[in-house]
Amino acid sequence: QNTVEPSYHQTQSASSVRRQPDITRHHATEHNAFLLDPMDEARLAECLMDYESAERLYHKSLLLRQEELGDHHPDLIVVLSYLAAFYCRQTRYEKAEPFLHKVLAMQARYEPDALLTANNSYYLAQIYQHQKRYGKADGLYQKALAIFRQQLGHNHARTERVYNDLMAMIVTAIEEGKFAEYNAGPTRLD
């Protein structure tokens, strides 16, 4: 497996300058060769369980997009979301949390993608649950659950997973004697 580092050239479009991969950039295996951007390479590395490379490539993708678009452009939402999700899957919550706060703030400022907002809310809820901040986690689970129910339906696997995780958290909070943290109690689940 050979990966050639990207070389970029600038192309001028009518409205903006975009970075496009040079055609010499490729990822080759025994069976195929194809062009990838750093985000795709990161996702592939993660699938191949090469987590060190995946992390480096997620950050590279973020830096390239920040250089091109600035720090607050709405197109950064997807990259930040992938990076945060990567850290959550690695149970590296201290790394994921700042990215999730930033991405959720950006999604509130711009017209959000509902499913991406639900996923990011779900990941932040998991972090708060891990930190035993059940009251904060509850609201985010509820937000994610409402979006998934509306967008995917009550019986979709993702909706059911969020619901089951919320129920498990409530049981854990009760068992730990921390249910009082919910203020007036959890939101109705219908």
Side-chain angles (χ1 to χ4, degrees):
Q1 180 174 347
N2 298 324
T3 303
V4 176
E5 285 298 314
S7 62
Y8 288 93
H9 65 275
Q10 298 286 328
T11 58
Q12 187 76 20
S13 71
S15 60
S16 66
V17 175
R18 290 200 161 167
R19 292 182 177 218
Q20 302 211 345
D22 191 317
I23 59 171
T24 61
R25 179 168 187 228
H26 69 278
H27 176 85
T29 66
E30 293 175 12
H31 303 291
N32 59 20
F34 47 92
L35 296 174
L36 295 176
D37 89 351
M39 176 68 82
D40 293 330
E41 287 184 89
R43 293 169 64 192
L44 178 61
E46 186 176 0
C47 288
L48 296 172
M49 294 187 258
D50 182 358
Y51 302 121
E52 187 176 312
S53 293
E55 181 177 14
R56 180 179 49 78
L57 289 162
Y58 279 126
H59 279 282
K60 182 177 184 177
S61 181
L62 177 61
L63 289 173
L64 288 172
R65 283 173 175 80
Q66 284 175 321
E67 286 174 7
E68 181 180 348
L69 304 169
D71 287 337
H72 303 288
H73 195 279
D75 288 350
L76 292 177
I77 290 171
V78 172
V79 180
L80 291 166
S81 296
Y82 271 104
L83 187 56
F86 168 76
Y87 284 130
C88 284
R89 287 188 295 272
Q90 298 293 308
T91 65
R92 294 167 64 191
Y93 300 123
E94 72 287 347
K95 291 255 191 190
E97 188 174 0
F99 290 111
L100 287 167
H101 285 291
K102 182 172 182 168
V103 76
L104 286 168
M106 289 175 75
Q107 286 179 296
R109 200 172 27 235
Y110 304 107
E111 187 173 321
D113 174 316
L115 290 175
L116 192 56
T117 299
N119 277 324
N120 289 325
S121 297
Y122 173 70
Y123 282 127
L124 190 54
Q126 287 184 314
I127 291 171
Y128 287 151
Q129 179 180 351
H130 176 75
Q131 296 170 342
K132 299 185 184 302
R133 295 163 67 188
Y134 301 122
K136 286 190 169 205
D138 180 74
L140 291 163
Y141 274 127
Q142 294 289 346
K143 179 179 181 177
L145 186 60
I147 294 169
F148 284 133
R149 282 180 168 167
Q150 179 190 26
Q151 298 285 317
L152 303 175
H154 288 259
N155 296 322
H156 190 276
R158 188 74 172 149
T159 305
E160 290 177 352
R161 180 176 179 177
V162 173
Y163 178 82
N164 290 336
D165 287 352
L166 173 59
M167 293 297 102
M169 183 194 69
I170 291 171
V171 168
T172 301
I174 291 168
E175 289 172 347
E176 292 178 0
K178 295 188 176 187
F179 193 70
E181 183 179 321
Y182 281 101
N183 299 332
T187 310
R188 280 191 37 208
L189 296 172
D190 296 332

